[in-house]
Amino acid sequence: MLLDNHGRPVNYLRLAVTDRCNLRCFYCMPEEGIQYLPKKALLTYEEMERTVRVMAGLGVNKVRITGGEPFVRNGLLGFLRRLSEIPGIDALHLTTNGVLTAPHVAELKALGVRSVNLSLDTLDRDRFRHITRRDELPRVLDTLHALLGAGIEVKINMVVMEGKNTQDIGPMAELTRHHPVSVRFIEEMPFNGEGARLEGFTWHYRRILDELKAHYPGLYKLTDEPNATAYGYGVPGHAGTFGVIAAFSRSFCGTCNRIRLTAQGVLKTCLYDDGVLDLRQLLRGGSTDEALADAFRGAFRHRAKDGFEAEGRRSSHLPASESMSTIGG
Ligand code: SAM
Ligand code: SF4
């Protein structure tokens, strides 16, 4: 079991398979997009598979595929199949914007993908187009229905943003009335790829919670999993549940079990650090599996205790100089 210097077990890898995306969510990247990495700068599927095998040997048993948009990278399903066969990996998860996902849902089910996080910030087509700068809401809703139809666990990620979609908190919450989904309301974070500080952050998780309580006076607290980032809530009679994620307030760092690997193979021991290990260099420089495992152990011996310390240790840039599309969320 991989333990960090604060005694936290680390068993969950978030793997960004690409930095490319077919949407342009304004909180993630500028309208013109980000400077994508050249193809050869991305880890190959073989390199990622080897990394996961080594990490599985250290006790990692849960992998989330993210990006960019995972489905814009060719060969994704074959890669998922190979990951699903790695001994020790007992849960594969996926985060997607849902634009290209619906046709693959049956295969995801067959591969045993445990749950899919679908990013959806509004049910209003105009606001969707405004936020993502693309008119793709119908295809995202097709994916939602396909996932529910296939019986795959669905979590919906809604970033709550002043002046953009706060009127959608109620309608999004209503999805839980008849559908067995978890709708997660997420504080906006500063990773917009523009270098601009996050202005006007007013939708703190407590305010989101107050808004939910105003809609549902019967809201009750659920028991959260030990490493959960979301505070879970239920409403009597609803098929689904809510989560509120203090992603910017960073209230969950004390139990963080996550490793992040960016699309170019940079290891992050915290979302807010600026990378602690160049894995691609090790992989391409001929390192043995044992050397890779040592490098992972070494990285987790110097882990910041929380996201504030990690941010303070960044070498120069603001987090906002990074796009979440490169990090994976
Ligand atoms: N493209 C896929 C998607 O959107 O689901 C996967 C990658 S995306 C970077 C992963 C998650 O990060 C999404 O749920 C997205 O809403 C979230 N995200 C991106 N930028 C964010 C920001 N600035 N603040 C909070 N969440 C953000
Ligand atoms: Fe693309 Fe996901 Fe970023 Fe939106 S949040 S631009 S869908 S990577």
Side-chain angles (χ1 to χ4, degrees), residues 171-218:
M172 291 290 288
E174 270 301 290
L175 286 173
T176 66
R177 187 178 291 278
H178 300 297
H179 301 297
V181 294
S182 169
V183 177
R184 290 130 48 93
F185 301 92
I186 306 178
E187 288 178 353
E188 186 180 359
M189 293 179 273
F191 299 94
N192 52 39
E194 305 209 59
R197 283 180 190 278
L198 187 55
E199 299 295 347
F201 171 72
T202 51
W203 282 85
H204 190 272
Y205 73 95
R206 289 198 201 92
R207 183 169 177 198
I208 299 173
L209 194 52
D210 287 345
E211 180 78 10
L212 288 171
K213 282 181 183 154
H215 278 89
Y216 305 105

Side-chain angles (χ1 to χ4, degrees), residues 138-156:
R139 288 210 279 178
V140 178
L141 294 179
D142 285 350
T143 292
L144 174 59
H145 293 125
L147 289 166
L148 291 170
I152 296 180
E153 184 188 340
V154 183
K155 294 178 184 165
I156 296 177

Side-chain angles (χ1 to χ4, degrees), residues 21 23 25 27-29 68 97 325:
C21 191
L23 296 183
C25 304
Y27 48 74
C28 180
M29 59 169 84
N97 63 31
S325 184

